[in-house]
Amino acid sequence: MEDKRFIEVAFPVKAVSEESVREKNIRHGHISTLHIWWARRPLAASRATNFAALIPAPKDEHEIERKKKFIAKLSKWENSLNEEIIKKAREEILEYFKQIRDDPNQERPRVLDPFAGGGSIPLEALRLGCETYALDYNPVAVLILKAVLEYPQKYGKRKKGVLEEWLSPEEKGKGYDLVRDVKRWGEWVLEEAKKELERFYPQDEDGYIPVGYIWARTIKCQNPTCGAEIPLMRQFWLVRKDNKKVALYPYVEGNEVKFKIVGDGYEPMPENFDPSKGTVKGAKVTCPVCGMTHDANTVRKLFREGKAGQRMVAVILHHPDKRGKMYRLPTEKDIQAYEEAKHYLEEKRVKLMEKWDIDPVPDEPLPPKGTLGFRVQNYGMKIWGDLFNDRQKLVMITLAEKIKNAYQRMLEEGYNKEYAKAIVTFLALSVDMVAAFSNTLTRWENTSEAVKHLFSRNALPMVWDYPEVNPFSNSTGSFRTILHLCLKSVEHFSEVQSPRVPQVGQNSATSLPYPNNYFDAVFTDPPYYDNVPYSYLSDFFYVWLKRTIGDLYPELFLTPLTPKSKELVAYTHDKDWKAAKKQFEEGMRQALKEIHRVLKPNGILVLVYAHKTTEGWETLINSLLDSGLVPTASWPIHTEMANRLRAKESAALASSIYIVARKIEKQGVGWFEEIKRDLRKTLEQKLDALWKEGISGADFFIAAIGSAIEVFGKYEKILDYEGNEIRGDRLLQLVRDIVTDYAIRQVLHEDISSELSPLTKFYVLWRWMYGEAKVHFDEARKLATSVGLDLEKEWNKGFIVKEKEFIRVLGPQDRKLNEIKGNDLIDVLHKVLLLWQANRKREMVSLLAETGWGEKDVFYKVAQVISEVLPKDSKEKKLLDGFLAGREHIKRAIEKGDYSLFNSEEKSGKQETLEKFIRR
């Protein structure tokens, strides 16, 4: 391979990871603020990997370090429009491309993303001056791509004017300014809707504007002697900040649950009132009037039978001349305004239905029961319109109506049809974002006093209490705020000065509409097995886009909902798991074969993958092995924030693996025994580098997979000496064994590893890899196997607990002292920590002496290691740190055989303070 690229030799993993994570907090102008798309790759990682794949390999160490620094600088958000830096990057790419291009008429690299989704990767290829092509099968993604790539380049105000070659004869000479016109017509839509609907959001007489309303779903208590209306609230906090705490206080009067607002600036918070404890947990409901508990099945049944309601419980206020938000209980005026909106909806709905020949409120069905991430069907929600309350429905259909009217007015004013279409596309995407904040599955975040849209996760779980946004205020989720963010994004995209029009299209990646050997690079982020149900989630937006601009894009809205037959996601609701897995694997194999076909002989593929289960990786590995592509490098880049919602309960990954592959002739048959030796040697070096980069836990294993693919991807076929073909499952188990062995040596230090039982090794590695999260059974089993533990013989006997298809590893705080049996190191450690917490020191020292663990350094080293890998706020860590602070005192007591020594008053002030803190 003559033209090795920089990314195949080196990459500034740490610096780009830091920028990718930091980018999650950037708002103004960022691609994520234009429209929601799930698992969108960070711009920093996309820009850095694209660039590193399009420049030559470095000549020496000096050049490696120099280029690493430049790539780190290039990846920064504040440099994304820095002319000097972007120009330098473009020039480096073009200079190298001139040397390796096979067509003298092609001036710049031709780049494809066949799974373009939210547009991060092709946007960065465009920024780097590439001839960019972006495809997606999903119509919602295609519209996002047009808004990110095509329209800003075609119609954005540019420093040198619009490139005439992009425009039709009738468009030439027009002074297009996309930001100006999206702003003008966005404000027109807002004012028109406001004139019609503002009366349904009455302002307070003292000038306070309601920016939102808190609603609680309700059910009737099923106790025949009670029958009270129960407001379903997961908690009662309105504000939970360090300097401000406000809550709704529920109290019973007669047979009715009433509320008052308590806390800072209101009535004092009552003693013994814990606002974090609501009336519902999971789907289990407790009646505040009679105390009766309703099980989850009963609650779901009431919802399905239409016996649930809703109640407005609080109003969120803001004064234009004052800082912060205020809260009050709803008044009759508030309730009346909502009821009037409800009646007006009925009238308007009938009129629009006659005009549009479609129900203006989406009546398309929600996904089938059992679709990954969807739970709301269990509560009687059957169509997409069921996700909105009546006032929210009224707002949405009115905005849709105004957008249609805006398009007609533009044509009447002489606007070019394609330009008018581009403008209303941005307005429709903004209305999509209004929908994301104006539905009954949003959350009120009391720590920031803001509404959070319904896609905080890649799922639609049930929400009991929700905030309703006033769309005509200036708060989060209002149309004005969303329009402002849209304009900032359009402004940013328009500043990306591209010399060629990007090509955007709807197509399946399994059948690419391009000739052989056409692209210099393919940069892409394919779906991850069953990670994200893209089409079902995007139906939420599709049904509204159909009503706002569907008639302008008939080719994208041919089906009632997003097309799904060729989507590469492993769905099981309509087939068994084996069939779903097979369909995904065949689709991925075909997509990779198509990438192989359209890549030039010296072309390069950079593919992002981030599935946390080895089963997902098996599929990718098998597909890669069969595609003809040969992996040449891989890099783990942190792309997620550690404190995101999903990461707290399950072992979600922080890293994505960027795999580099080429069209290289494979080496024929490889023998498994020889590959084992090669793999062990290669992985040891790579694991050392990953360890130094700070990659740890579950990410460490996943990062190692990428390196392993480089080794066994070189062969046409891998056989053992008996002639059996080795596929992804065997290869991954080998990788896991090597990584586990390495991790044990690093985490536990080789000098003590040999002294530990498989159970203790499993516990320590679990805490290192997954912390205190639960993990799917199959992943837990594979970890257990790699340390020589039979998981099925151990679960539900001690600290390993099976919860449905998940495994959880209990800490000492989750166990009862009298139920801990056995003398394995971990069991004794847990007993010791519980005795220490209970201040039963004599028993603790006696146990350590009797079991012999108290005299062994390995016992304290293991305790220390577990403490080091746990997060700072972990209860187990606090217990461990408290115990370890007195280890020398304990050892002396055991050595002298005088346990009373441990009860002496000779404790340091530090030790006493620490013990009080832990007990508290």
Side-chain angles (χ1 to χ4, degrees):
M1 192 169 63
E2 295 173 6
D3 66 321
K4 252 192 171 185
R5 310 292 171 86
F6 189 89
I7 199 169
E8 293 174 293
V9 175
F11 192 78
V13 172
K14 198 168 184 178
V16 174
S17 292
E18 285 170 3
E19 287 306 314
S20 298
V21 173
R22 185 173 76 90
E23 189 184 304
K24 297 281 181 177
N25 293 316
I26 290 163
R27 304 300 297 157
H28 295 291
H30 195 270
I31 192 170
S32 63
T33 61
L34 175 72
H35 196 281
I36 289 164
W37 192 256
W38 303 271
R40 190 187 253 125
R41 293 301 98 198
L43 298 179
S46 301
R47 184 156 62 251
T49 51
N50 287 8
F51 175 71
L54 293 171
I55 59 170
K59 297 182 183 70
D60 51 43
E61 282 297 322
H62 174 71
E63 192 182 343
I64 286 178
E65 290 311 310
R66 188 170 58 80
K67 280 277 164 55
K68 273 186 169 184
K69 283 177 184 173
F70 178 73
I71 293 171
K73 192 188 293 185
L74 178 69
S75 71
K76 289 181 181 293
W77 167 254
E78 49 268 34
N79 290 333
S80 56
L81 293 174
N82 183 309
E83 280 189 48
E84 185 185 338
I85 291 171
I86 299 300
K87 186 182 176 187
K88 187 175 186 301
R90 284 183 169 197
E91 286 172 352
E92 280 202 41
I93 291 169
L94 286 176
E95 185 184 338
Y96 177 56
F97 183 66
K98 280 176 190 172
Q99 299 169 26
I100 63 165
R101 67 182 173 181
D102 53 6
D103 180 357
N105 297 317
Q106 190 188 332
E107 293 181 2
R108 52 196 69 248
R110 190 179 289 140
V111 173
L112 168 69
D113 183 351
F115 296 101
S120 297
I121 293 173
L123 175 63
E124 293 311 323
L126 197 70
R127 197 191 306 273
L128 293 171
C130 299
E131 186 182 321
T132 305
Y133 295 71
L135 295 178
D136 206 279
Y137 180 58
N138 190 304
V140 178
V142 174
L143 285 172
I144 294 170
L145 292 169
K146 282 181 171 292
V148 170
L149 304 170
E150 183 182 328
Y151 294 146
Q153 294 302 313
K154 233 176 164 184
Y155 303 118
K157 190 173 182 180
R158 303 163 66 81
K159 288 174 185 171
K160 295 177 183 176
V162 177
L163 290 179
E164 298 288 296
E165 63 183 273
W166 295 5
L167 305 176
S168 64
E170 62 174 354
E171 287 179 301
K172 288 182 179 179
K174 300 270 185 183
Y176 295 120
D177 186 341
L178 196 59
V179 177
R180 177 197 66 199
D181 289 334
V182 171
K183 183 175 189 290
R184 177 195 164 188
W185 289 101
E187 288 177 349
W188 183 88
V189 166
L190 174 61
E191 288 309 311
E192 289 295 302
K194 194 173 178 181
K195 277 189 279 187
E196 189 176 339
L197 304 182
E198 193 176 28
R199 61 196 165 106
F200 301 123
Y201 301 89
Q203 187 172 317
D204 283 18
E205 291 175 5
D206 54 5
Y208 275 93
I209 298 166
V211 295
Y213 307 84
I214 305 284
W215 290 84
R217 301 183 200 270
T218 60
I219 59 167
K220 188 179 178 183
C221 178
Q222 297 302 288
N223 180 350
T225 62
C226 179
E229 182 193 64
I230 308 171
L232 307 182
M233 300 189 72
R234 69 196 187 285
Q235 51 92 47
F236 294 108
W237 284 111
L238 293 171
V239 190
R240 196 176 188 179
K241 297 178 175 177
D242 290 340
N243 61 347
K244 183 182 177 184
K245 287 188 169 53
V246 182
L248 270 174
Y249 176 64
Y251 64 96
V252 176
E253 197 171 272
N255 204 38
E256 188 181 351
V257 180
K258 293 189 172 182
F259 292 99
K260 53 178 149 181
I261 296 175
V262 298
D264 299 326
Y266 303 88
E267 282 189 41
M269 193 92 64
E271 284 185 32
N272 303 321
F273 170 49
D274 183 357
S276 61
K277 291 179 181 175
T279 58
V280 58
K281 189 173 183 182
K284 195 174 166 184
V285 174
T286 304
C287 176
V289 178
C290 70
M292 178 176 167
T293 299
H294 302 67
D295 63 63
N297 289 335
T298 301
V299 173
R300 293 187 189 111
K301 187 168 179 252
L302 289 169
F303 271 86
R304 286 196 299 272
E305 291 174 352
K307 294 176 181 175
Q310 64 172 5
R311 173 181 167 187
M312 194 188 296
V313 294
V315 181
I316 308 157
L317 304 164
H318 174 70
H319 197 288
D321 302 326
K322 296 178 183 178
R323 290 188 66 184
K325 292 183 173 74
M326 294 289 290
Y327 301 85
R328 63 167 171 78
L329 298 179
T331 62
E332 279 300 319
K333 190 178 176 184
D334 296 315
I335 307 295
Q336 186 60 34
Y338 182 82
E339 289 302 316
E340 287 172 8
K342 195 172 175 179
H343 292 307
Y344 186 60
L345 168 68
E346 291 168 14
E347 295 170 24
K348 191 176 183 80
R349 189 172 183 174
V350 172
K351 287 177 186 174
L352 290 180
M353 199 181 296
E354 290 171 2
K355 196 174 175 183
W356 295 356
D357 202 26
I358 184 177
D359 190 337
V361 176
D363 57 354
E364 294 88 343
L366 280 162
K369 197 174 177 183
T371 301
L372 180 73
F374 285 79
R375 298 287 179 270
V376 294
Q377 299 93 322
N378 294 330
Y379 299 90
M381 298 184 197
K382 294 178 181 175
I383 60 173
W384 285 102
D386 290 341
L387 271 50
F388 303 83
N389 75 24
D390 288 318
R391 188 158 53 183
Q392 290 168 336
K393 290 173 188 174
L394 177 60
V395 167
M396 289 302 300
I397 67 173
T398 303
L399 289 173
E401 177 193 32
K402 303 309 177 193
I403 284 177
K404 286 177 176 290
N405 294 349
Y407 178 72
Q408 291 305 320
R409 285 181 70 104
M410 286 182 221
L411 298 187
E412 288 164 13
E413 289 186 20
Y415 277 66
N416 168 273
K417 274 190 176 182
E418 284 301 305
Y419 184 47
K421 180 177 170 181
I423 293 166
V424 294
T425 299
F426 285 101
L427 300 184
L429 292 174
S430 293
V431 168
D432 269 9
M433 291 298 283
V434 171
F437 283 95
S438 289
N439 59 77
T440 65
L441 298 178
T442 55
R443 291 182 303 113
W444 177 248
E445 189 176 78
N446 51 47
T447 51
S448 62
E449 295 186 84
V451 177
K452 295 295 173 182
H453 62 67
L454 79 166
F455 290 118
S456 300
R457 293 165 55 194
N458 303 329
L460 284 183
M462 182 59 173
V463 174
W464 304 107
D465 51 278
Y466 68 91
E468 179 193 7
V469 170
N470 176 353
F472 307 115
S473 66
N474 293 324
S475 64
T476 305
S478 68
F479 187 81
R480 190 181 299 282
T481 304
I482 286 166
L483 180 64
H484 173 73
L485 291 170
C486 170
L487 291 168
K488 286 288 182 185
S489 296
V490 181
E491 197 172 5
H492 182 94
F493 305 148
S494 300
E495 286 288 318
V496 177
Q497 302 285 301
S498 171
R500 289 290 303 271
V501 59
Q503 300 292 309
V504 173
Q506 184 195 20
N507 213 87
S508 168
T510 57
S511 178
L512 297 174
Y514 306 109
N516 297 347
N517 307 318
Y518 191 66
F519 290 100
D520 299 286
V522 174
F523 301 142
T524 195
D525 174 28
Y528 306 149
Y529 208 35
D530 61 342
N531 237 24
V532 181
Y534 291 98
S535 62
Y536 288 112
L537 292 172
S538 61
D539 280 340
F540 175 86
F541 297 117
Y542 184 88
V543 296
W544 288 115
L545 287 166
K546 190 198 294 187
R547 285 157 175 80
T548 51
I549 54 172
D551 53 339
L552 302 181
Y553 294 94
E555 73 285 3
L556 294 179
F557 292 91
L558 293 169
T559 50
L561 292 163
T562 57
K564 297 172 178 67
S565 61
K566 295 180 183 176
E567 188 186 23
L568 286 186
V569 177
Y571 293 128
T572 56
H573 58 78
D574 59 346
K575 56 181 76 72
D576 63 34
W577 179 238
K578 196 174 178 182
K581 181 184 174 185
K582 186 181 178 186
Q583 181 178 319
F584 176 77
E585 191 161 331
E586 285 175 356
M588 185 59 74
R589 184 184 296 115
Q590 182 57 33
L592 288 169
K593 280 184 175 178
E594 278 290 274
I595 288 170
H596 181 280
R597 180 183 67 78
V598 301
L599 262 180
K600 290 181 179 179
N602 67 343
I604 191 165
L605 164 68
V606 179
L607 180 147
V608 191
Y609 208 71
H611 202 274
K612 67 179 180 180
T613 72
T614 45
E615 203 165 15
W617 278 95
E618 279 172 32
T619 300
L620 177 71
I621 290 167
N622 290 336
S623 301
L624 262 173
L625 292 175
D626 296 339
S627 69
L629 292 159
V630 178
T632 57
S634 65
W635 303 98
I637 300 176
H638 269 53
T639 55
E640 305 297 335
M641 292 188 289
N643 64 345
R644 71 196 192 284
L645 191 64
R646 189 167 155 261
K648 291 177 181 176
E649 273 299 306
S650 60
L653 296 173
S655 291
S656 300
I657 311 302
Y658 286 69
I659 298 167
V660 185
R662 300 288 215 115
K663 287 173 78 165
I664 303 169
E665 196 169 327
K666 294 204 174 195
Q667 294 180 18
V669 173
W671 297 100
F672 192 40
E673 288 305 314
E674 293 168 16
I675 288 167
K676 275 185 187 177
R677 290 192 290 273
D678 188 11
L679 186 59
R680 198 171 287 277
K681 183 181 173 185
T682 304
L683 269 188
E684 285 283 334
Q685 294 171 350
K686 189 76 178 200
L687 294 174
D688 280 339
L690 291 172
W691 194 270
K692 285 171 188 169
E693 285 280 0
I695 306 296
S696 64
D699 291 297
F700 191 73
F701 171 63
I702 297 300
I705 292 174
S707 305
I709 297 173
E710 296 169 39
V711 175
F712 47 71
K714 295 184 290 194
Y715 303 95
E716 286 282 355
K717 193 180 281 189
I718 299 169
L719 302 175
D720 62 20
Y721 287 149
E722 294 174 2
N724 301 309
E725 187 175 358
I726 307 300
R727 298 291 284 170
D729 55 345
R730 289 274 302 277
L731 294 166
L732 278 173
Q733 189 54 52
L734 174 60
V735 174
R736 186 179 283 281
D737 291 344
I738 294 169
V739 174
T740 301
D741 181 57
Y742 181 92
I744 285 172
R745 281 184 276 126
Q746 292 290 341
V747 176
L748 288 173
H749 313 299
E750 199 166 3
D751 59 325
I752 64 166
S753 178
S754 59
E755 299 178 55
L756 305 179
S757 69
L759 203 58
T760 297
K761 286 180 182 177
F762 176 81
Y763 188 92
V764 173
L765 281 180
W766 184 285
R767 289 290 182 245
W768 176 70
M769 287 183 78
Y770 306 123
E772 293 165 326
K774 63 183 179 183
V775 172
H776 196 276
F777 164 72
D778 193 49
E779 289 304 298
R781 180 184 61 77
K782 286 167 183 166
L783 175 62
T785 302
S786 65
V787 295
L789 188 72
D790 187 336
L791 192 66
E792 292 185 34
K793 287 183 179 176
E794 298 295 339
W795 76 48
N796 297 338
K797 289 181 181 176
F799 60 79
I800 300 171
V801 176
K802 189 169 186 287
E803 298 174 354
K804 294 183 180 176
E805 71 270 35
F806 296 98
I807 295 291
R808 189 182 292 279
V809 167
L810 304 179
Q813 70 279 4
D814 305 314
R815 304 177 75 184
K816 291 180 181 176
L817 188 61
N818 61 343
E819 292 177 3
I820 302 176
K821 312 295 180 188
N823 286 331
D824 193 273
L825 188 154
I826 290 299
D827 286 322
V828 173
L829 178 59
H830 281 187
K831 268 189 179 181
V832 162
L833 294 175
L834 289 172
L835 289 168
W836 187 89
Q837 184 184 32
N839 208 22
R840 292 158 63 179
K841 303 297 191 319
R842 288 175 66 91
E843 291 174 68
M844 178 189 75
V845 179
S846 175
L847 174 66
L848 283 168
E850 287 168 15
T851 58
W853 285 115
E855 299 172 72
K856 294 180 180 176
D857 284 343
V858 68
F859 184 82
Y860 303 98
K861 283 182 180 178
V862 167
Q864 187 67 51
V865 165
I866 297 169
S867 168
E868 286 169 5
V869 301
L870 285 169
K872 287 180 182 177
D873 59 352
S874 162
K875 289 180 182 176
E876 181 174 357
K877 178 180 176 62
K878 289 172 183 174
L879 286 171
L880 285 161
D881 290 347
F883 163 71
L884 288 167
R887 79 181 87 176
E888 294 307 319
H889 202 58
I890 294 166
K891 283 182 180 178
R892 281 202 307 275
I894 293 170
E895 193 181 318
K896 295 185 178 181
D898 183 1
Y899 305 159
S900 64
L901 282 174
F902 200 80
N903 286 339
S904 70
E905 298 303 316
E906 297 172 10
K907 293 180 188 174
S908 69
K910 181 182 175 184
Q911 169 69 7
E912 226 164 38
T913 303
L914 187 55
E915 287 185 21
K916 282 177 186 173
F917 170 70
I918 300 294
R919 285 199 296 276
R920 185 174 73 247

